[in-house]
Amino acid sequence: MEHICPESIKVVADSLGISNLEDEVAQAMAPDVEYRLREIIQEGLKFMHHSKRSILTTEDINSGLRLRSVEPLYGFASAEPMQFSRPEGHRDVFFIADEEVSFDEVINAPLNKCPVETNCIPHWLAIDGVQPAIPENPVA
C-alpha cells in the first residue's frame, strides 16, 4: 500500500525550488521516501519503548535521526503531545488549533524582570582528607 504519493514529492520539490520534476522521477522517489520515513519512525518507536512511554515525541524522532546520521529537527520540541483536530467534511486532513494572540496584549504586557547576577563562591569541603573548621562546613 502506497502512503506517499508522487504528487506529495512534487509539492515538496516545488517548495525546495525544483519546479520541473518529472512524473517518472516523482513516481520512482515515492517508495524510497516512504521507506526512509518508515525507518526513522521505527527508530523513534524503539526509543519510545525503551523509555517506557506510550507517546512518540519529537525527541524520539530526533534520536532516531541522530542514529541514522541525519540532522535533527529544530523548533519542534514540546513538553506535551500536540492535539490534532480534524475539520468537518475532510477525512484525511489534520491541524493543530492555535490560539489567536492580540498584538496589543503582547506590546502592552509588562516586561519580565532581569535575572539576578550570577556569582560563584569557591569552597573546599576537605583538604588532604581533613575537614577545616569553617562556618561553611557542617560540624561532624
Side-chain angles (χ1 to χ4, degrees):
M1 185 171 154
E2 190 176 282
H3 292 286
I4 305 291
C5 60
E7 290 80 24
S8 298
I9 302 295
K10 291 183 87 166
V11 167
V12 171
D14 218 17
S15 71
L16 294 172
I18 305 170
S19 58
N20 55 355
L21 188 69
E22 296 183 20
D23 292 335
E24 296 82 26
V25 174
Q27 188 74 32
M29 285 182 69
D32 188 55
V33 169
E34 183 175 338
Y35 171 76
R36 303 290 177 196
L37 281 173
R38 187 180 307 268
E39 194 175 39
I40 291 168
I41 291 170
Q42 284 176 349
E43 292 297 338
L45 286 170
K46 288 178 189 176
F47 281 97
M48 178 192 77
H49 290 300
H50 286 292
S51 299
K52 295 182 172 52
R53 283 185 278 106
S54 60
I55 297 175
L56 184 67
T57 64
T58 54
E59 195 56 43
D60 297 328
I61 298 297
N62 280 342
S63 299
L65 288 168
R66 273 190 228 103
L67 193 66
R68 297 284 175 191
S69 300
V70 178
E71 191 171 341
L73 300 171
Y74 295 110
F76 291 100
S78 176
E80 53 198 43
M82 297 183 181
Q83 299 295 320
F84 289 95
S85 301
R86 181 183 295 163
E88 292 182 23
H90 297 281
R91 204 184 70 165
D92 297 333
V93 177
F94 295 93
F95 67 95
I96 300 169
D98 288 332
E99 64 179 82
E100 290 185 18
V101 178
S102 169
F103 283 125
D104 292 333
E105 289 178 15
V106 174
I107 291 172
N108 296 328
L111 296 174
N112 294 335
K113 292 184 178 181
C114 292
V116 181
E117 281 190 40
T118 58
N119 58 14
C120 180
I121 301 172
H123 168 68
W124 290 91
L125 184 61
I127 301 170
D128 293 329
V130 177
Q131 188 176 29
I134 57 175
E136 288 88 1
N137 286 340
V139 179

